[in-house]
Amino acid sequence: MAGSGGRSGAARRGIGRGDQRHSDRIAGRRSFAAKERAAGLVRVGGLPLGLNVVLHRDNLDALDAIVELGLAWGVDRIELANAQFYGWGLLNRAALLPSREQLARARDAVGRWRERLGGRPELVWVVPDYFDGVAKPCMGGWGAVSLTVAPDGTVLPCPAAATLPGPDAPNIGDHTLEWIWDRSPAFNRYRGTAWMSDPCRSCSRREEDFGGCRCQAFALTGDAARTDPACGLSPDHGLVRAFAQEGGAAASAPYVYRYPGRVF
């Protein structure tokens, strides 16, 4: 859950909750203490430090404690990102999907903290997919602003794109980054708006949300080119609406953890 930050020379730490016991349970391993030590080393080194938190059913009501932890660690940025449900998130949706009431309380808490902190540290709230009927742009647009290079040299338009069918992802060992970005079929497949069908093609928001998340569209419909079901205009929106109505209603399911060698 740690990696390079959103700007050069920055570092990020990820936690599941604001205390060691709950954070370690969410992570599936004892990791909180190591992250705390790493955060201290980053600050000693004089680097900007960000705290990334994936929000879900088991930690939304602990948002105050999470922000307080970030302040104690001296972070420059706290990203509060509501969980997206594809990949292992989809497998754990029954355990992670919150209720509307939880989201409303958390959103109010973020507003209070922003007013109190005055932008220092920066507090980022990444809106949830399932509840507002508005799709989020996939990585700011497929092949538009960022890329991911995997340890084996595979280059992806987004970190989860390896799950999608279609053209093989290019590898930095075979092509230059310039060729991969400008000419590879994988990066051009969902770039821009020409690939879209309706309702996206005729939608006034097509240059803003770019049809939503390709990975989520594939995970829920089996077709990566369909409108993201999170969008209220999608013919598949009923899938998401049904899940959102159930969020937080049933007893929480056990987590299915991801371990090395375990395949989704």
Side-chain angles (χ1 to χ4, degrees):
M1 297 179 70
S4 60
R7 46 194 167 141
S8 178
R12 297 188 294 187
R13 296 285 98 182
I15 62 162
R17 196 156 153 167
D19 64 280
Q20 181 168 344
R21 182 171 68 88
H22 288 97
S23 185
D24 286 349
R25 184 182 70 82
I26 291 169
R29 59 178 297 177
R30 294 179 179 177
S31 58
F32 184 90
K35 293 174 182 180
E36 188 170 36
R37 289 194 298 271
L41 292 173
V42 171
R43 298 310 294 166
V44 169
L47 293 173
L49 176 62
L51 184 65
N52 285 16
V53 186
V54 178
L55 297 175
H56 49 78
R57 181 179 187 168
D58 278 355
N59 65 6
L60 271 165
D61 291 326
L63 192 141
D64 287 339
I66 290 169
V67 175
E68 288 167 355
L69 178 70
L71 296 176
W73 284 7
V75 303
D76 301 284
R77 186 175 190 266
I78 303 174
E79 181 174 318
L80 302 165
N82 284 278
Q84 291 183 287
F85 297 104
Y86 50 80
W88 287 86
L90 182 61
L91 191 63
N92 283 281
R93 182 173 55 198
L96 300 178
L97 191 66
S99 66
R100 289 184 181 275
E101 292 75 20
Q102 279 186 295
L103 284 166
R105 289 194 297 269
R107 188 181 290 113
D108 289 344
V110 170
R112 291 194 300 272
W113 277 108
R114 281 176 170 166
E115 184 176 353
R116 174 179 168 182
L117 297 174
R120 296 180 63 87
E122 180 185 8
L123 204 58
V124 179
W125 168 261
V126 181
V127 299
D129 275 343
Y130 274 33
F131 293 89
D132 295 336
V134 178
K136 294 199 294 286
C138 178
M139 300 299 293
W142 181 276
V145 296
S146 66
L147 56 78
T148 296
V149 181
D152 66 355
T154 300
V155 186
L156 301 165
C158 86
T163 64
L164 300 180
D168 290 339
N171 193 286
I172 193 62
D174 302 322
H175 303 283
T176 65
L177 275 180
E178 181 180 15
W179 183 93
I180 290 170
W181 182 265
D182 290 337
R183 300 174 58 189
S184 69
F187 271 72
N188 281 286
R189 185 163 193 180
Y190 302 115
R191 179 176 274 156
T193 60
W195 61 272
M196 295 177 177
S197 58
D198 280 328
C200 292
R201 177 172 293 175
S202 57
C203 180
S204 61
R205 288 181 52 85
R206 65 186 179 276
E207 299 281 359
E208 300 173 34
D209 62 26
F210 303 102
C213 176
R214 299 301 89 223
C215 297
Q216 183 156 265
F218 177 70
L220 295 181
T221 73
D223 182 357
R226 285 182 74 81
T227 301
D228 185 341
C231 177
L233 299 177
S234 166
D236 305 302
H237 184 62
L239 295 171
V240 168
R241 187 168 58 246
F243 295 137
Q245 289 171 350
E246 296 172 3
S252 182
Y255 292 155
V256 179
Y257 291 105
R258 178 171 55 186
Y259 299 117
R262 190 173 190 177
V263 179
F264 171 61

